Amino acid sequence: MEKDMDKLFDESIRLEMNVSKVYLRFSKLFSEDKKFWWDLAIEEKNHAALLRSGKDIFEPANKFPEDLLLSSLKIINKENESLEKMLDDFEENPPSREEAFNIAFRIETSVGEAHYQAFMEQDSSSFKDKVFKDLNQDDKEHADRIQFHMAQLGIALI
């Protein structure tokens, strides 16, 4: 069981880093939105860092907030593969500004990110959950922020 938790930690960290890479790519592609994408990328890196430190701090893994990690390694692997393929595809076929915002919204409402946000928004069931959430209070609601920014720019959600 502990090996499975280690894999879930590693894949969850990989997911957050992959999302950060997508947003960093967008910050380079769209100078007019550079700060917006840069801020999201940094917050995703912070998620990865929190998971990385959580893996060590809450050792053994069964002391980590159990609701935070996805229970299905298969789902999270699929998401990581999809993001990595997307990043490769961007090399030859970068998205338009509108596509970038829609991609980001889909990422943030995907199973992995939605699960993370659901954990952050639920009532704290334990002291360790509350401590973890307090450390991460500024990194919530990415999907809402993306959708709000899209609305301000007149970009349609497709």
Side-chain angles (χ1 to χ4, degrees):
M1 179 68 168
E2 202 161 310
K3 283 193 181 246
D4 288 342
M5 285 301 292
D6 282 343
K7 287 180 185 177
L8 278 171
F9 267 107
D10 293 342
E11 287 303 307
S12 296
I13 292 165
R14 184 174 149 217
L15 177 66
E16 298 298 336
M17 292 305 295
N18 280 331
V19 174
S20 177
K21 288 175 188 176
V22 169
Y23 296 161
L24 284 173
R25 182 73 52 87
F26 293 167
S27 77
K28 291 176 184 173
L29 287 172
F30 308 105
S31 59
E32 62 269 45
D33 303 309
K34 184 178 183 90
K35 183 180 178 349
F36 178 79
W37 294 121
W38 178 261
D39 289 347
L40 288 178
I42 296 304
E43 290 172 12
E44 295 296 341
K45 282 187 179 187
N46 288 342
H47 296 169
L50 286 167
L51 288 170
R52 205 174 284 118
S53 65
K55 184 177 177 182
D56 298 330
I57 292 169
F58 292 103
E59 194 66 36
N62 65 359
K63 290 186 180 177
F64 193 77
E66 53 278 348
D67 294 337
L68 181 57
L69 297 176
L70 278 174
S71 60
S72 173
L73 188 58
K74 187 176 182 178
I75 292 171
I76 201 166
N77 278 334
K78 185 176 178 181
E79 285 195 37
N80 274 318
E81 289 168 9
S82 175
L83 287 169
E84 288 164 357
K85 182 181 180 327
M86 183 186 308
L87 284 163
D88 286 343
D89 291 346
F90 288 167
E91 291 296 322
E92 290 192 30
N93 190 21
S96 68
R97 188 178 186 207
E98 180 179 283
E99 289 169 331
F101 277 101
N102 278 279
I103 288 167
F105 185 79
R106 282 193 303 273
I107 287 172
E108 293 298 336
T109 56
S110 70
V111 175
E113 285 295 313
H115 183 86
Y116 184 87
Q117 291 302 327
F119 170 81
M120 295 307 294
E121 292 167 5
Q122 73 186 13
D123 289 336
S124 295
S125 58
S126 70
F127 176 73
K128 65 186 176 191
D129 289 3
K130 184 173 178 352
V131 168
F132 192 86
K133 288 178 189 181
D134 287 347
L135 289 172
N136 196 41
Q137 64 187 351
D138 294 330
D139 295 343
K140 299 188 319 187
E141 300 173 356
H142 286 182
D144 291 342
R145 286 168 47 201
I146 291 166
Q147 196 170 20
F148 179 77
H149 198 75
M150 289 173 74
Q152 286 184 315
L153 298 172
I155 296 175
L157 186 60
I158 51 175

